[in-house]
């Protein structure tokens, strides 16, 4: 667990994170980085998404942004007070900005992102100049979320190695 984050998951948090993991699996099956997200208010799914930037040719098509777009339409409001976003990977800077502007109350994420995490690396979500504060809980079903991501990248590295070494070649692997 990272400093400044709470891990106090409830049964509802784990249920919704499992659902986010199932959405991440859809991304995985489409060759996208497996991240899934769902926006929930009063235990009702307002919007959901999975990563689609590759297939959609859209750098903003992160799971969180797609889920927020659906939730805004469902709520008929771009602001989502009282809502919780469940996401399998700690949000990036772009997604964190969208969450702040949407006035989401809580973010519950699974795996920490040690390279680009908006909370644990850049501390954007906790910056005192924002006019909205989010409650952040990290590490919910962290092992399952991290394992899904690790499996995806392990497969991609193996595919990349195979593409560089001709079949039947005696060349050593890189």
């Amino acid at each position: 667990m990272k400093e400044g984050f709470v891990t106090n998951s409830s049964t509802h948090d784990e249920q919704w994170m499992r659902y986010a993991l199932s959405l991440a699996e859809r991304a995985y099956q489409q060759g996208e980085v497996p991240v899934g997200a769902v926006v929930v208010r009063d235990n009702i799914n307002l919007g959901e998404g999975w990563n689609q930037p590759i297939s959609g040719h859209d750098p903003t098509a992160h799971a969180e942004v797609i889920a927020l777009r659906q939730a805004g339409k469902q709520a008929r409001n771009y602001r989502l007070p009282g809502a919780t976003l469940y996401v399998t990977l700690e949000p990036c800077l772009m997604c964190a900005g969208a969450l702040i502007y949407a006035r989401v109350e809580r973010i519950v994420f699974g795996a920490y992102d040690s390279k680009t995490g908006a909370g644990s690396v850049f501390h954007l979500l906790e910056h005192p100049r924002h006019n909205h504060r989010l409650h952040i809980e990290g590490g919910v079903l962290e092992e399952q979320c991290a394992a899904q991501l690790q499996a995806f990248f392990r497969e991609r590295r193996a595919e990349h190695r195979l593409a560089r070494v001709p079949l039947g070649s005696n060349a050593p692997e890189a």
Side-chain angles (χ1 to χ4, degrees), residues 56-86:
H57 310 290
D58 179 356
T60 69
H62 289 200
E64 300 95 322
V65 172
I66 293 168
L68 286 171
R69 287 175 182 156
Q70 282 187 9
K73 287 178 183 175
Q74 175 76 13
R76 301 172 86 83
N77 193 340
Y78 73 99
R79 291 193 172 165
L80 301 165
T84 298
L85 176 104
Y86 296 91

Side-chain angles (χ1 to χ4, degrees), residues 55-173:
S55 61
H57 310 290
D58 179 356
T60 69
H62 289 200
E64 300 95 322
V65 172
I66 293 168
L68 286 171
R69 287 175 182 156
Q70 282 187 9
K73 287 178 183 175
Q74 175 76 13
R76 301 172 86 83
N77 193 340
Y78 73 99
R79 291 193 172 165
L80 301 165
T84 298
L85 176 104
Y86 296 91
V87 62
T88 57
L89 179 64
E90 180 180 3
C92 70
L93 296 172
M94 175 186 69
C95 293
L99 291 160
I100 291 165
Y101 286 118
R103 304 297 195 268
V104 169
E105 184 176 315
R106 291 175 66 221
I107 301 171
V108 178
F109 67 84
Y112 287 86
D113 185 341
S114 62
K115 294 180 181 175
T116 63
S120 65
V121 176
F122 292 103
H123 308 288
L124 176 70
L125 294 168
E126 302 161 329
H127 198 282
R129 297 195 75 183
H130 292 302
N131 61 353
H132 175 68
R133 300 284 182 274
L134 301 112
H135 181 73
I136 307 162
E137 295 185 36
V140 175
L141 301 182
E142 181 177 8
E143 288 180 20
Q144 294 94 318
C145 294
Q148 189 179 47
L149 287 157
Q150 290 165 353
F152 175 82
F153 286 112
R154 191 171 32 254
E155 286 178 17
R156 293 302 170 268
R157 284 190 298 273
E159 289 169 5
H160 184 68
R161 277 194 302 272
L162 287 174
R164 289 188 297 163
V165 177
L167 289 176
S169 159
N170 290 332
E173 283 192 39

